[in-house]
Amino acid sequence: MSESLFTIAVHAGRPEEGNPSIPSVPGIDLAVSYRASDAATLHAMLGGDAPGFSYSRYGSPTNAALEMALCQMEGAAVARACASGMAAVHLALLLTGLQAGDTLLVAQDSYGATFALVDTIMRRMGVCPVFVDATNRATLAAALAEHRPRALILEPISNPLLRLCDVSAAARLCHEHDVQLVVDATFATPYLLRPLELGADIVLHSLTKYLAGHDDVLGGIVLAGESYVTELRNLTILTGGLLDPHAAYLALRGLRTLPLRMREHCRNAVEVANWLVEQPGVAQVYYPGLSSHPQHHLMRQLLPNGAGGMVAFDLVQANEAAVLRFLDALQMILPVTTLGGVASQILYPACSSHRSLSVERRHALGIGDGLLRLSVGIEDAVDIQADLSRGFAAAAKE
Ligand SMILES: Cc1ncc(COP(=O)(O)O)c(C=O)c1O
């Protein structure tokens, strides 16, 4: 198989067998149970000692095709497709062996539900979450030395302010302290970054976003190296939050065009971000692909294929009423609570992803009352700009 992600994305996970003909795409295999040639083989399959499918919670063909494709794209030995991105976050944390009494380091600007999962459910179960600025190497090194955690979870491109975290540096620090590094690479995708190659131990994605890419799949995936194969299998059998095969089929179909879509998302985002900088209605633009961005140098090292499709900006009128006028004036960009689809999508963090935070905490994280997060789609950039202009005109009207 080619080394090129464009080629791997198109061909990985294709069926290799069929009777009598080989289908060119995997079918949607809905069987819950599978017969084997004899009972001893079935028992060996159930125990994981023989290849093949036995019961769909243990693994199933359509999901396996998707998992195989993403393993090739990420350079992973094993993958499990989950029912949602949050199921993948949960599974990835369990895969570290996290147990009562353990400390878990969590990047402080992690996705809101990840923050809430560790801070509520996991805390109740005896895990002690410690939130850290993972973008600051010295702070991270000090936290690793002080807390001796089981694992660190971080996002290389944070949400919504798009701060970058140097995954290689974080992996080196983690391994010096015998700590596992879990990377939620949902915003990056393997087109921008392959964390396992940079030293991460476990990678996860919300499939719902760029990987599936068409806003019709809710899913997640956990990927890891050889040493996690048995434990990941055991955990998914016992926790059972697997992706439905219909969704696995759609996700694999979406994945075929991931590199093409990401290339366009990145191109459009650069164009839109540069245009936003010039707009009188904009107080600040957050996009690491801008040469003026404080982490632009790191971006060029970490993300040589582009800075991704997410752009955030502060309106000059930093108040909820102006933001609502802005959103209601849009005619094309979808005001929705998701990202990574082919259509441009916009979100107001203060009233959606970060609404559960106190105003003080939200402001302390740098998420102001006029901040908007734009997932730049693959439409013509000129049309995206024209729609944003409608928003700026409406926001400016008292
Ligand atoms: C970075 C990140 N991780 C995880 C998730 C959770 O994904 P899902 O909504 O598929 O459960 C999201 C959702 O927005 C996300 O942005």
Side-chain angles (χ1 to χ4, degrees):
M1 174 70 85
S2 159
E3 297 273 292
S4 163
L5 203 68
F6 286 83
T7 308
I8 296 173
V10 169
H11 288 290
R14 282 195 191 281
E16 286 171 4
E17 300 176 354
N19 196 5
S21 313
I22 304 173
S24 49
V25 296
I28 302 177
D29 195 321
L30 297 177
V32 164
S33 57
Y34 297 83
R35 283 181 295 164
S37 52
D38 54 72
T41 306
L42 178 65
H43 295 161
M45 284 175 179
L46 283 167
D49 301 321
F53 300 105
S54 53
Y55 184 62
S56 61
R57 181 157 42 79
Y58 289 53
S60 59
T62 316
N63 289 28
L66 170 67
E67 291 160 356
M68 193 188 301
L70 270 161
C71 274
Q72 283 187 33
M73 292 171 78
E74 287 281 10
V78 63
R80 273 291 190 272
C82 308
S84 69
M86 282 316 298
V89 172
H90 182 218
L91 182 63
L93 291 177
L94 292 182
L95 189 58
T96 65
L98 204 59
Q99 53 187 309
D102 281 346
T103 296
L104 174 67
L105 274 193
V106 182
Q108 65 182 16
D109 42 12
S110 291
Y111 174 58
T114 301
F115 194 98
L117 170 71
V118 298
D119 204 31
T120 56
I121 298 173
M122 293 213 158
R123 195 185 279 285
R124 280 209 300 276
M125 297 179 78
V127 171
C128 173
V130 172
F131 300 98
V132 62
D133 179 1
T135 63
N136 182 319
R137 212 176 289 192
T139 312
L140 182 58
L144 285 163
E146 182 187 344
H147 298 288
R148 305 250 149 221
R150 165 87 50 185
L152 162 68
I153 180 165
L154 60 81
E155 294 165 25
I157 306 176
S158 79
N159 176 23
L161 291 172
L162 312 168
R163 294 192 182 118
L164 300 183
C165 182
D166 184 342
V167 177
S168 314
R172 271 197 305 279
L173 285 174
C174 280
H175 295 155
E176 277 167 23
H177 293 86
D178 204 16
V179 170
Q180 295 162 87
L181 176 60
V182 181
V183 172
D184 178 343
T186 298
F187 277 31
T189 84
Y191 178 77
L192 297 183
L193 185 83
R194 280 181 286 284
L196 296 176
E197 288 173 2
L198 301 180
D201 299 286
I202 299 168
V203 176
L204 72 99
H205 298 271
S206 166
L207 285 170
T208 317
K209 315 300 176 192
Y210 288 108
L211 296 191
H214 296 75
D215 296 315
D216 50 8
V217 172
L218 184 77
I221 192 149
V222 176
L223 300 117
E226 201 61 50
S227 58
Y228 291 93
V229 170
T230 307
E231 188 55 13
L232 186 56
R233 178 177 192 272
N234 292 342
L235 275 171
T236 42
I237 289 172
L238 296 181
T239 56
L242 297 172
L243 191 65
D244 174 82
H246 292 97
Y249 178 88
L250 285 174
L252 181 57
R253 186 178 164 128
L255 198 63
R256 298 295 185 211
T257 55
L258 176 77
L260 280 179
R261 286 185 282 110
M262 286 307 293
R263 191 164 64 188
E264 293 312 306
H265 284 298
C266 291
R267 275 189 192 154
N268 267 357
V270 170
E271 213 167 313
V272 170
N274 278 305
W275 176 84
L276 282 170
V277 169
E278 304 294 323
Q279 300 313 302
V282 174
Q284 191 171 349
V285 181
Y286 307 85
Y287 184 62
L290 287 175
S291 52
S292 56
H293 189 276
Q295 290 184 302
H296 186 64
H297 185 65
L298 174 61
M299 178 255 138
R300 295 189 78 89
Q301 277 171 17
L302 188 68
L303 310 171
N305 287 341
M310 303 301 298
V311 176
F313 56 95
D314 282 314
L315 286 185
V316 165
Q317 301 83 5
N319 63 76
E320 188 177 330
V323 172
L324 298 187
R325 286 198 300 277
F326 180 99
L327 293 173
D328 288 341
L330 300 175
Q331 292 176 9
M332 183 188 79
I333 300 169
L334 304 174
V336 289
T337 53
T338 190
L339 63 105
V342 287
S344 293
Q345 298 157 321
I346 197 157
L347 170 137
Y348 181 33
C351 284
S352 52
S353 56
H354 291 72
R355 67 177 301 143
S356 61
L357 299 188
S358 68
V359 175
E360 295 73 32
R361 167 119 190 98
R362 182 164 55 71
H363 285 175
L365 288 174
I367 303 167
D369 298 334
L371 183 77
L372 286 159
R373 186 197 76 186
L374 176 66
S375 170
V376 180
I378 61 171
E379 306 96 336
D380 194 317
V382 169
D383 292 322
I384 300 172
Q385 291 161 1
D387 209 28
L388 291 170
S389 296
R390 289 183 194 105
F392 292 127
K397 282 188 193 140
E398 286 303 321

